[in-house]
Amino acid sequence: SAPSGSGAPVKIRKASPGEHTLSADLSTIPDGYRTLVPVQETFQTEEGEIIQRDLPLKAQRNVSGTVYVDADGNGSRGTQEKGLEGIRIRLDGQQAVTDETGAFLFSNVQPGRYTVRADSEKIPAGHRFASDEPKKMEVPEGPFTRERFDFPVIPDGGKTPLPSPLP
């Protein structure tokens, strides 16, 4: 094992000839990054050989949020407010569908400016999104996570009751 410090390659000198295993301690990888290669490698060395290995890292950029029924109309999801499953969310050319809790996730988003929209086709009758405006965002270089990027759903004045709160 040899320390590599901020992305520098690992060099192993004076290794005895034979089979060796090199592994990385994942707890030392900075938050928001992941490895692009396996973190353990077995290799053979010859007498006097110097071994150099790189552990390239990739910044993780994620955009996540929920679609939920805002039963109390306060714009913030309470513990009893039900998520809506099956709602399509669009991040420019990408799309995700909400799970049973109303959550969605876009992984490995490239840096840039984006418009995020939620499709209303599967919203319960008598309801609408609290805002019809698409959400604009910028994903910077480096690691990035946008959490609680939410789309609350409220009654639109129709006679259909809200879905039941969670038990």
Side-chain angles (χ1 to χ4, degrees):
S1 152
S4 71
S6 38
V10 174
K11 286 187 180 181
I12 302 171
R13 301 172 196 261
K14 298 183 183 179
S16 58
E19 184 174 286
H20 300 275
T21 301
L22 178 67
S23 59
D25 179 356
L26 295 179
S27 70
T28 63
I29 294 175
D31 286 341
Y33 288 88
R34 69 175 174 87
T35 63
L36 294 175
V37 295
V39 295
Q40 184 168 322
E41 177 185 1
T42 300
F43 56 92
Q44 296 286 328
T45 60
E46 303 293 330
E47 183 71 36
E49 185 177 7
I50 296 174
I51 304 297
Q52 177 173 318
R53 294 294 188 265
D54 295 317
L55 182 62
L57 302 177
K58 180 178 182 180
Q60 294 293 285
R61 295 179 205 89
N62 300 316
V63 176
S64 63
T66 60
V67 177
Y68 67 96
V69 176
D70 190 8
D72 59 12
N74 69 355
S76 180
R77 186 173 184 182
T79 58
Q80 296 298 310
E81 291 177 323
K82 180 179 170 64
L84 295 176
E85 182 177 7
I87 306 297
R88 188 173 33 220
I89 308 296
R90 298 177 190 268
L91 179 73
D92 287 343
Q94 302 175 57
Q95 68 178 8
V97 176
T98 57
D99 66 14
E100 66 278 354
T101 68
F104 65 88
L105 172 67
F106 293 97
S107 298
N108 300 318
V109 177
Q110 295 300 309
R113 291 189 173 117
Y114 293 92
T115 301
V116 185
R117 294 178 173 86
D119 289 348
S120 59
E121 64 194 37
K122 292 198 175 182
I123 291 179
H127 296 82
R128 64 175 177 82
F129 285 112
S131 172
D132 293 329
E133 294 296 316
K135 298 175 187 268
K136 305 267 186 199
M137 62 176 301
E138 185 165 346
V139 175
E141 294 285 338
F144 174 81
T145 297
R146 172 76 187 253
E147 296 177 25
R148 307 266 335 146
F149 200 46
D150 294 337
F151 291 90
V153 172
I154 58 174
D156 68 0
K159 298 183 181 181
T160 305
L162 289 168
S164 302
L166 296 173

